[in-house]
Amino acid sequence: MEGLKQHQRSLVIRTRGRGFTEITEHLRATVRESGVRQGLCVVYCAHTSCSLVIQENADPSARHDMERWLERIAPERDPTYTHTAEGPDDMPSHLRSMVTKTSETIPVRDGKPAMGTWQGLFLCEHRAREHNRQLLVHVIGS
Amino acid sequence: MEGLKQHQRSLVIRTRGRGFTEITEHLRATVRESGVRQGLCVVYCAHTSCSLVIQENADPSARHDMERWLERIAPERDPTYTHTAEGPDDMPSHLRSMVTKTSETIPVRDGKPAMGTWQGLFLCEHRAREHNRQLLVHVIGS
Amino acid sequence: MEGLKQHQRSLVIRTRGRGFTEITEHLRATVRESGVRQGLCVVYCAHTSCSLVIQENADPSARHDMERWLERIAPERDPTYTHTAEGPDDMPSHLRSMVTKTSETIPVRDGKPAMGTWQGLFLCEHRAREHNRQLLVHVIGS
């Protein structure tokens, strides 16, 4: 009856240093190539100093304020940090990752991630410099 | 022979303005109607100014303190916000959503979400006013 | 022909009081015993005062700073807490759980959780004293 199937692909996203990069279109493309019409898709971030967030993608000022807020709640050069060997942007990156997401799971409907009208999927680079970031996308369904 | 199947339904939850609304019973009902005895259920929130949390459902004072704490770490009228066009409760709503959950994934056992004794699933409305909120529930298993 | 299957097991982890306990090896063992080579694994924490985090497992100083930071953003004995009947470490435990994870979903590749080189899965005990904590691991795939 159901005939469930799955599809997994890795993605490399080049970030431009600290900030949110929208990757919704990569997710849509992977769901499309999976052939799954109804099911689930999971995006997994294989790093500890960048993370995922699903948030408003309409107005860049919202993204700007989210970036600034994360910088305030987990600032650089906090004198209480002991993990400082990898530079002043490293420990804040772990903290900002910890309170956002390592993975996001999104239902698939009509062959598309069933995200809301204003939702975009973002890869949040927390390190100061640009990086190549490895993501895994897994789609399961029918 | 496993014979995995899946079931997806959308829910509309009416919130009463800022605060946590328990929706555990909606989740249980959707798992029940799926006929899945063992598997996974995913709840997805299709918005950027409300979110999901699994937390203590026994004592309303815990919920009250969680609401107040989110209001303190991401307050209204912070002069550093630039995204202010949609009202003073909008940007804090994105921030409070960002550090809670867009989706929750819960194992299904014996035909029920295998939540702990004190766990409840809450839809957290971060906007000041009441809203109709769209959730998707996806159940997969056997 | 996919032939998807699933496997679920519960784990009890003894924590030693407040702090992060790495449980990556438990996850690997459960994926191994499932026989799944490609798919997804979900770890679920059935409590409201401990939580999950995937973070750096190489340098213990990173873990130390994460623990201290969570203690600072949701401190004990905040005079605004009203949920105090279960002791000064209870309400902060709910808050620290709320902004970390109740579940983590990780793709399985080549029979292993496809975590990054520096990623470890941690059970974060937020209560002061040691506890036996119930986790569920669910693996699905082929």
Side-chain angles (χ1 to χ4, degrees), chain B residues 30 40 52 55 69 71 90-91 99 115 138:
Chain B
T30 306
L40 293 170
L52 300 168
Q55 258 299 332
W69 185 82
E71 292 169 22
D90 185 59
M91 195 58 224
V99 294
M115 296 167 70
H138 191 95

Side-chain angles (χ1 to χ4, degrees), chain B residues 19-30:
Chain B
F20 289 25
T21 302
E22 184 163 6
I23 58 171
T24 314
E25 194 41 61
H26 291 274
L27 182 64
R28 278 201 203 103
T30 306

Side-chain angles (χ1 to χ4, degrees), chain B residues 46-57:
Chain B
H47 301 274
T48 63
S49 58
C50 65
S51 59
L52 300 168
V53 152
I54 291 176
Q55 258 299 332
E56 164 156 350
N57 70 348

Side-chain angles (χ1 to χ4, degrees), chain C residues 90-130:
Chain C
D90 184 59
M91 195 60 225
S93 298
H94 296 314
L95 299 174
R96 296 168 195 168
S97 295
M98 181 171 64
V99 293
T100 50
K101 311 301 184 299
T102 304
S103 70
E104 287 283 9
T105 301
I106 305 148
V108 173
R109 193 167 48 178
D110 301 330
K112 286 179 283 214
M115 297 167 70
T117 312
W118 311 108
Q119 287 185 318
L121 174 65
F122 296 93
L123 174 60
C124 311
E125 176 62 73
H126 302 300
R127 298 301 303 259
R129 301 206 310 187
E130 58 185 11

Side-chain angles (χ1 to χ4, degrees), chain A residues 18-88:
Chain A
R18 187 175 299 126
F20 288 25
T21 302
E22 184 164 6
I23 57 172
T24 314
E25 194 42 60
H26 292 273
L27 182 64
R28 277 202 203 101
T30 306
V31 170
R32 210 181 297 128
E33 79 179 12
S34 75
V36 166
R37 302 291 302 166
Q38 190 191 48
L40 293 170
C41 57
V42 171
V43 188
Y44 183 81
C45 174
H47 302 274
T48 62
S49 58
C50 67
S51 59
L52 300 168
V53 152
I54 292 177
Q55 259 299 332
E56 163 156 349
N57 70 349
D59 183 344
S61 67
R63 191 180 326 179
H64 170 272
D65 286 357
M66 287 186 271
E67 294 168 359
R68 292 302 89 74
W69 184 82
L70 285 171
E71 293 169 20
R72 286 201 302 280
I73 63 160
E76 287 200 3
R77 301 176 200 280
D78 185 317
T80 68
Y81 297 152
T82 64
H83 180 74
T84 54
E86 294 168 59

Side-chain angles (χ1 to χ4, degrees), chain C residues 59-99:
Chain C
D59 184 343
S61 67
R63 190 179 327 177
H64 171 272
D65 286 357
M66 288 186 270
E67 294 167 0
R68 292 301 89 72
W69 184 82
L70 285 171
E71 293 169 21
R72 286 201 301 282
I73 63 160
E76 287 200 4
R77 300 174 200 280
D78 185 317
T80 68
Y81 298 152
T82 64
H83 180 75
T84 54
E86 295 169 57
D89 62 332
D90 184 59
M91 195 60 225
S93 298
H94 296 314
L95 299 174
R96 296 168 195 168
S97 295
M98 181 171 64
V99 293

Side-chain angles (χ1 to χ4, degrees), chain B residues 42-90:
Chain B
V42 171
V43 188
Y44 183 80
C45 173
H47 301 274
T48 63
S49 58
C50 65
S51 59
L52 300 168
V53 152
I54 291 176
Q55 258 299 332
E56 164 156 350
N57 70 348
D59 183 344
S61 67
R63 191 180 324 178
H64 170 273
D65 286 356
M66 288 186 269
E67 294 167 358
R68 293 301 90 70
W69 185 82
L70 285 171
E71 292 169 22
R72 286 202 301 281
I73 64 161
E76 287 200 6
R77 300 177 199 280
D78 185 317
T80 68
Y81 298 152
T82 64
H83 180 74
T84 54
E86 294 168 58
D89 62 332
D90 185 59

